[in-house]
Amino acid sequence: MYPGARELVRQIRALGATPVFLQSSGNRNGWPENSLFGYENMQLAIIQGYSEIADELKVPVAPVGHAWYVTMKEIPQLDLWMDDRHPNDHGAYLAACTLYATLFRESPEKSEYTATLPKDLAKELQKLAAETVLQNLEKWNL
């Protein structure tokens, strides 16, 4: 990922734009083919990888994967996946809230939009996304 990230950042900056890395979430069952057994092991490797390249290139990170990790700890019964790799409505909503907090540097908690989620769950995911991003601005190069 590192060579490609370096080249994309170079091209984006050459156009006068600002790159932002969207830190991905891990697979439900990890990536055993690459010795990343289970979700947590894969997610921690993703978080570390994005942090290393973002720090090297001074690129902001939208910490979607970290928000998933926090949410899995806070609400372990909540399923974020549609299958092993792709988000369901809960995971997609959390990702969108995290991206919003990153790009606008403000909490998505003011939003009344809940997609297909019950209002109380949407509000909880908005709060977790906001805390993940806004309490760690320096960590995410924001």
Side-chain angles (χ1 to χ4, degrees), residues 78-128:
L78 183 65
D79 189 6
L80 299 174
W81 293 271
M82 175 176 40
D83 53 26
D84 184 49
R85 296 182 179 169
H86 302 97
N88 62 18
D89 290 350
H90 303 145
Y93 189 81
L94 178 59
C97 289
T98 306
L99 188 58
Y100 179 93
T102 301
L103 295 177
F104 296 105
R105 290 171 184 75
E106 67 179 46
S107 175
E109 293 174 277
K110 295 180 231 167
S111 175
E112 293 299 318
Y113 180 72
T114 62
T116 62
L117 281 59
K119 187 173 184 170
D120 61 330
L121 176 58
K123 291 297 176 190
E124 190 163 3
L125 294 178
Q126 289 172 357
K127 181 178 183 282
L128 288 167

Side-chain angles (χ1 to χ4, degrees), residues 24-119:
S24 57
S25 55
N27 298 342
R28 181 193 308 261
N29 298 311
W31 195 10
E33 302 83 12
N34 286 308
S35 300
L36 294 170
F37 299 99
Y39 162 74
E40 186 168 344
N41 286 328
M42 183 177 183
Q43 190 61 69
L44 292 174
I46 289 170
I47 291 167
Q48 180 181 349
Y50 273 91
S51 292
E52 288 173 1
I53 193 68
D55 288 347
E56 173 190 322
L57 301 174
K58 308 292 188 258
V59 171
V61 176
V64 171
H66 194 88
W68 275 49
Y69 183 74
V70 168
T71 300
M72 295 300 297
K73 296 288 186 189
E74 294 288 321
I75 317 171
Q77 70 279 11
L78 183 65
D79 189 6
L80 299 174
W81 293 271
M82 175 176 40
D83 53 26
D84 184 49
R85 296 182 179 169
H86 302 97
N88 62 18
D89 290 350
H90 303 145
Y93 189 81
L94 178 59
C97 289
T98 306
L99 188 58
Y100 179 93
T102 301
L103 295 177
F104 296 105
R105 290 171 184 75
E106 67 179 46
S107 175
E109 293 174 277
K110 295 180 231 167
S111 175
E112 293 299 318
Y113 180 72
T114 62
T116 62
L117 281 59
K119 187 173 184 170

